[in-house]
Amino acid sequence: MKRHRSKIYLLLALVAAAIVAKYQTAISPYYFQIIIYIGINIILASSLNLINGFAGQFSLGHAGFMALGAYTSAVITSSLHLSPGTAVSYPLFAGALICGGLVASVFGLLVGIPSLRLKGDYLAITTLGLGEIIRVIIQSLGFLGAARGFTGIAKLADFFWVYAVVAIVIFTIANLVKSTYGKGFLAVRDDEIAAEAVGVDATRYKIVAFITGAFFAGIAGGLYAHFVTYINPSQFGFLRSFEIVVMVVVGGMGNIAGVILAAAVLTILPEALRAVAQYRMVIYAFLLIVIMISRPQGLFGQRLDWSRVWRWVTRRSSSPAKGES
Amino acid sequence: MMLEIDNLEVAYGAVRAVKGISLNVAQGKIVTMIGANGAGKSSTLRAISGITRTSGGRIRFDGRDITTMPAHKIVALGISQAPEGRMIFANLTARENLAMGAYLRRDTEGIEKDMDYVFAMFPKLKDRIDQPGGKLSGGEQQMLAIARALLARPRLLLLDEPSLGIAPILVRTIFEKIVEINRELGTTILLVEQNARMALSIADYAYVLETGEVRLHGNAAEIASDDEIRKAYLGER
């Protein structure tokens, strides 16, 4: 029974997504859009968490993978003239998303290969460069709309699609890293040489992390394209990659729940700060600095330790006068 | 011979750390390499494990050439190492560190048994089983590193400076355990040490390394009684 628990959670999450999707028109379009963006950002941050957080390979090219998935799936659905509402469109849409993911993971492999020789900041700069190369190439391809962007994409992604993928991504990554096999990612991150010395094939782990992470980023890109219905290369620039990295760092490298929360909070935050108009990015940046100074290991550290959270809560309520220690 | 090293060379860029070392380890023995800093002891061990690339020479294990074999395949053949500086997985708990040691094994029951064995051998580890490896003391980390290497169930165990940076009182315990591993499990041991006196007291055979070359080798007892060695390495006049 215990072995199937995570599968049951996945099933419940899919059913919940389907039910909520039925009522999605009841939510105001503005809030609905934010909810969708949260889902897409959770997919992006969780998949980057596998590369950066678990395998410890600092990658700054995630927006590039997202772009590949977005353009690939958009080209497929547009050339097939899929449209929302027709039953046949949805299985084909799923196929298009997967194609986008596969193209992204092929590039994930290409980006992963330098990680076998480069570490830390060198790898970060290389992945940043490769991400930009993807963007610039798309920008120069006329049939993709070049800098004008790719228009007229069918609005096929809705709440169900986005959150079904969210559930699948979390399920996949959680199962991957909790398994004995998955502990190899943590070993590679902690000490690559020691990992090799106990028999872990570090090369394979890094490649698997890049391929899997890029695959899901590609799917996130496909969902994004089929939600906003218009994409252009500037949406997938370096800043996009950087935003995703921030979500992973703030959530805590290698902390699945923390990264999900951070993705949600950091998507809502700039919106919530719209009230203060021109100062909002200043406040956003300031909050990030405060978080990094006070919690350099991320808001929740590497593991969300519920017993510690509980002790913190009980200590506060039993001796309210003492305050925080 | 279980392990045969023939004219091994290791270079880091232009620096030649190992300049043609030949060395043999017979099954069931404790063999030690002693020597000062920079003598090439650790480089030799790392080359055997496949962690460092060799630039010349041959390494054979059970007659099979493993010179260019990747590290994880060498572990599968039955060689594991407790590396210098311990190299504990700091963010994994002590138990997870041990489980990583058994990474290539699939016999769950055998792994459980070996876990119990190392806990009996190092009872202190059992108290710290759910602590992250990085929070353990130096001595505990050293025990963990040895225990982790044992969980691969090696036939040849490579130990790199197990006495480095730990309390003198613990050094004796760790050396006793090394003998115990050799006697009880029949594990062949290749031990690298700066603490020559300790190493020679438990080893069957010894190699003295100096600036990347073997200067002298022989039975540990003979080496320990060699006049020059006593002066240079054992601090006697």
Side-chain angles (χ1 to χ4, degrees), chain B residues 17 22 25 29 32 38 57 68-69 71 81-83 89 93 110 116 129 135 148-149 155 172 178 182 197 216 227:
Chain B
S22 296
V25 178
K29 301 284 186 210
T32 186
T68 54
M69 200 179 266
Q81 174 165 185
F89 302 119
T93 64
D116 291 340
I129 187 149
K135 295 261 164 75
R148 184 178 66 186
R155 289 188 297 122
R172 190 167 291 279
I178 295 171
N182 175 251
R197 187 189 302 274
L216 195 71
D227 273 348

Side-chain angles (χ1 to χ4, degrees), chain A residues 117 180-181 183-205 302-303, chain B residues 46 51 53 70-72 75 79-81 83 86-93 96 99-101 103-104 148 152:
Chain A
R117 301 189 138 260
T180 319
Y181 174 82
K183 287 278 184 287
F185 288 110
L186 303 177
V188 170
R189 178 189 67 188
D190 270 9
D191 195 320
E192 207 179 311
I193 290 171
E196 283 274 349
V198 297
V200 173
D201 185 350
T203 304
R204 204 177 68 182
Y205 274 95
Q302 282 197 348
R303 296 174 198 216
Chain B
R46 292 163 75 104
I51 299 168
R53 259 172 217 270
H72 59 272
V75 181
I79 302 180
S80 73
Q81 174 165 185
R86 274 94 66 174
M87 293 194 182
I88 291 301
F89 302 119
N91 292 303
L92 299 185
T93 64
E96 287 168 339
M100 285 314 298
Y103 175 80
L104 292 173
R148 184 178 66 186

Side-chain angles (χ1 to χ4, degrees), chain B:
Chain B
M1 278 300 152
M2 184 180 229
L3 182 77
E4 295 162 273
I5 299 180
D6 185 29
N7 218 11
L8 177 74
E9 288 178 33
V10 177
Y12 302 101
V15 183
R16 291 168 69 216
V18 178
K19 306 169 193 164
I21 283 180
S22 296
L23 176 158
N24 290 319
V25 178
Q27 174 119 28
K29 301 284 186 210
I30 300 180
V31 175
T32 186
M33 274 191 271
I34 56 175
N37 261 339
K41 311 183 298 289
S42 292
S43 296
T44 305
L45 274 203
R46 292 163 75 104
I48 299 170
S49 278
I51 299 168
T52 297
R53 259 172 217 270
T54 59
S55 45
R58 284 268 159 276
I59 304 171
R60 268 186 286 268
F61 182 61
D62 287 337
R64 190 166 165 188
D65 193 328
I66 59 164
T67 319
T68 54
M69 200 179 266
H72 59 272
K73 292 203 174 135
I74 292 175
V75 181
L77 288 181
I79 302 180
S80 73
Q81 174 165 185
E84 184 180 6
R86 274 94 66 174
M87 293 194 182
I88 291 301
F89 302 119
N91 292 303
L92 299 185
T93 64
R95 187 198 298 276
E96 287 168 339
N97 265 281
L98 292 177
M100 285 314 298
Y103 175 80
L104 292 173
R105 292 171 60 185
R106 291 291 168 265
D107 55 323
T108 320
E109 277 173 37
I111 295 172
E112 280 300 313
K113 245 190 190 163
D114 289 357
M115 285 243 188
D116 291 340
Y117 180 85
V118 296
F119 285 138
M121 177 176 277
F122 302 117
K124 268 198 178 158
L125 285 185
K126 192 154 195 178
D127 304 335
R128 317 227 39 187
I129 187 149
D130 289 319
Q131 299 263 331
K135 295 261 164 75
L136 270 55
S137 74
E140 287 164 345
Q141 285 188 1
Q142 187 58 58
M143 293 177 199
L144 186 59
I146 295 174
R148 184 178 66 186
L150 275 182
L151 269 148
R153 209 175 254 188
R155 289 188 297 122
L156 174 62
L157 176 64
L158 309 177
L159 298 171
D160 198 351
E161 303 272 9
S163 76
L164 195 73
I166 61 175
I169 194 164
L170 264 178
V171 173
R172 190 167 291 279
T173 319
I174 286 190
F175 274 84
E176 280 165 9
K177 300 301 176 188
I178 295 171
V179 175
E180 199 180 311
I181 292 165
N182 175 251
R183 300 263 155 80
E184 283 187 14
L185 301 175
T187 312
T188 310
I189 290 169
L190 179 54
L191 167 72
V192 156
E193 257 302 334
Q194 283 197 45
N195 188 337
R197 187 189 302 274
M198 266 296 191
L200 289 173
S201 73
I202 65 162
D204 299 301
Y205 204 84
Y207 288 82
V208 181
L209 268 59
E210 238 167 56
T211 57
E213 286 165 302
V214 175
R215 183 160 159 241
L216 195 71
H217 62 98
N219 288 326
E222 283 170 29
I223 298 281
S225 58
D226 185 282
D227 273 348
E228 262 187 78
I229 297 297
R230 289 164 73 106
K231 268 190 213 146
Y233 294 99
L234 304 176
E236 289 173 18
R237 282 161 201 285

